[in-house]
Amino acid sequence: MAVIPVDIAGAPYEVRIGTGLLANLAAECGALLRKHRVPIVTDTNVHAAWGAVVEDSLQQAGHEAVWRILPAGEASKSWEQLAATTDWLLAQEVERGDHILALGGGVVGDLTGFAASVLKRGCKFIQLPTTLLAQVDSSVGGKTAINTAAGKNLVGAFHQPALVLADLAALDTLPQRELKAGYAEVVKYGLLGDAAFFGWCQANGAALLAGDPAAREYAVAHAVAAKARIVQADEKETLGLRALLNLGHTFGHALEAQTGFGARLLHGEGVALGMVLAARYSAERGLLSDHQAEQIAQHFADVGMASEIASLGLNCNGAALVAHMLHDKKMDAGTLPFVLLRGIGEAFLAKDVVLDDVAAFLDRELQRLV
Ligand code: GLY
């Protein structure tokens, strides 16, 4: 098992990464579980796959699992589910010092974390991420949110978990497409700050996706350690460091918006394409070589992911994609900062990007032969 400390001032915690953590849940949580009844928020899919394992572990330690089971899917990150979940937690008489368990992917973690942040002005919670994306990104660092009519993640809070248990066994029950989508966020850490790790991904990404346990543990631990370093240095994204974690997200968000934020393009798939676009746009500006940008596109293609937006059949122009970007929560006094690359492993925040240039660049990408 790998243990990565996240040294946030006033709220330090550990991320433990290994196989069998859910089967051993009660022991892993230890004294954090203060009461007989343990409130757990999850979704229908994760409950079907992991509910019995979690329940058994708690039962053997003399606890009783009490469940709030959300419909699986992004639609659960809503005001309605937030209200219903907080009402449910209040009905369970959860106290500030109790720990609410969030068992699932980013939707469950974001909603539960936000509920914990507002319940009684702040309750404790434990992240039990069951997707690769949640293990390497959303469960660590304390970003919590719901979606509203105006857009995704526009209402939320920074609220750090008390513990994160990333059970690699959960990745075995994950559909290959979701695993690949999460893998994009793994590659992100190489591209933004660690060229050697991108090299590792080129050599080992296929093995990771095929289920190699050592590759999985190495990648998740490496990604979490990278995220912990960034979050420790810039918890609230005010110094321009944490913003680097948004590499590929501005382009990706526009693609997700254009495809309706649904099954047509998963978040991680949008991020992979977004990172290819950020790299090619950086190359157009002379920051990165064409060869480096194409190495990135090639890697996603090599592991069976889309690497060309022309393949999406979007039926729109670059200006339409840029229009989606204008609703980005990173908009700052009329400008939109973009994470670009000066090299593989050298991301930086560019504040001088002209959106008309981006639209023209996207027009070319939309026409690119695939
Ligand atoms: N997912 C980006 C961040 O946690 O800052």
Side-chain angles (χ1 to χ4, degrees):
M1 179 169 73
V3 180
I4 313 289
V6 186
D7 282 323
I8 302 267
Y13 55 97
E14 278 182 4
V15 182
R16 297 184 206 145
I17 298 146
T19 300
L21 299 180
L22 290 175
N24 204 23
L25 181 64
E28 290 294 336
C29 292
L32 298 185
L33 304 182
R34 308 188 307 170
K35 294 186 182 150
H36 173 67
R37 286 160 64 83
V38 178
I40 313 177
V41 182
T42 190
D43 72 24
T44 43
N45 290 345
V46 179
H47 186 258
W50 290 97
V53 170
V54 163
E55 215 155 86
D56 280 357
S57 169
L58 292 175
Q59 218 163 49
Q60 280 167 26
H63 294 287
E64 181 194 349
V66 285
W67 296 96
R68 170 153 183 81
I69 304 170
L70 306 168
E74 190 73 28
S76 285
K77 267 175 69 169
S78 64
W79 281 114
E80 292 74 21
Q81 289 295 356
L82 178 71
T85 301
T86 48
D87 282 346
W88 178 80
L89 291 165
L90 291 169
Q92 300 307 315
E93 299 182 351
V94 170
E95 296 172 353
R96 275 184 171 173
D98 296 340
H99 288 75
I100 304 158
L101 273 49
L103 174 69
V107 169
V108 167
D110 283 9
L111 178 87
T112 310
F114 191 29
S117 79
V118 292
L119 197 80
K120 301 188 174 171
R121 299 204 179 96
C123 286
K124 298 183 188 302
F125 80 116
I126 295 174
Q127 289 272 23
L128 306 172
T130 56
T131 64
L132 183 56
L133 190 139
Q135 294 187 351
V136 298
D137 185 33
S138 60
S139 69
V140 180
K143 278 190 182 174
T144 74
I146 56 167
N147 305 327
T148 66
K152 274 181 72 175
N153 294 330
L154 293 180
V155 175
F158 286 100
H159 187 57
Q160 300 292 339
L163 176 67
V164 182
L165 300 175
D167 189 343
L168 299 168
L171 304 183
D172 294 337
T173 54
L174 206 61
Q176 187 64 203
R177 187 175 170 204
E178 266 201 62
L179 197 64
K180 285 184 180 171
Y183 177 68
E185 299 274 3
V186 173
V187 175
K188 181 183 80 175
Y189 292 100
L191 297 181
L192 75 86
D194 187 345
F197 185 56
F198 178 63
W200 183 92
C201 290
Q202 287 176 301
N204 299 286
L208 181 163
L209 291 167
D212 181 320
R216 285 185 175 178
E217 179 162 337
Y218 179 82
V220 175
H222 197 90
V224 168
K227 179 147 191 188
R229 280 194 297 277
I230 292 172
V231 168
Q232 282 160 198
D234 184 15
E235 183 192 357
K236 303 269 168 73
E237 204 166 308
T238 49
L239 305 177
L241 272 174
R242 187 164 184 167
L244 301 181
L245 293 171
N246 296 325
L247 175 62
H249 282 60
T250 302
F251 285 111
H253 179 87
L255 300 172
E256 283 185 84
Q258 186 65 31
T259 49
F261 291 108
R264 199 170 149 204
L265 186 71
L266 302 180
H267 174 70
E269 293 169 337
V271 170
L273 285 162
M275 291 192 292
V276 171
L277 293 174
R280 286 185 178 153
Y281 186 68
S282 301
E284 270 205 8
R285 289 174 50 134
L287 296 162
L288 191 73
S289 71
D290 287 337
H291 173 68
Q292 286 172 310
E294 292 323 303
Q295 272 187 299
I296 297 167
Q298 189 60 49
H299 179 55
F300 288 120
D302 286 346
V303 297
M305 294 185 74
S307 58
E308 302 294 337
I309 57 169
S311 70
L312 296 178
L314 290 181
N315 201 18
C316 71
N317 62 13
L321 292 176
V322 165
H324 293 301
M325 296 177 184
L326 299 177
H327 304 295
D328 199 295
K329 62 183 171 308
K330 295 179 285 298
M331 277 297 284
D332 184 20
T335 61
L336 183 58
F338 276 73
V339 185
L340 299 182
L341 295 174
R342 278 199 191 96
I344 289 178
E346 286 180 69
F348 73 103
L349 208 53
K351 297 193 172 168
D352 60 348
V353 171
V354 176
L355 290 176
D356 285 347
D357 279 358
V358 175
F361 161 74
L362 288 171
D363 279 337
R364 290 190 288 283
E365 285 295 313
L366 286 161
Q367 302 299 325
R368 203 179 170 104
L369 290 177
V370 288

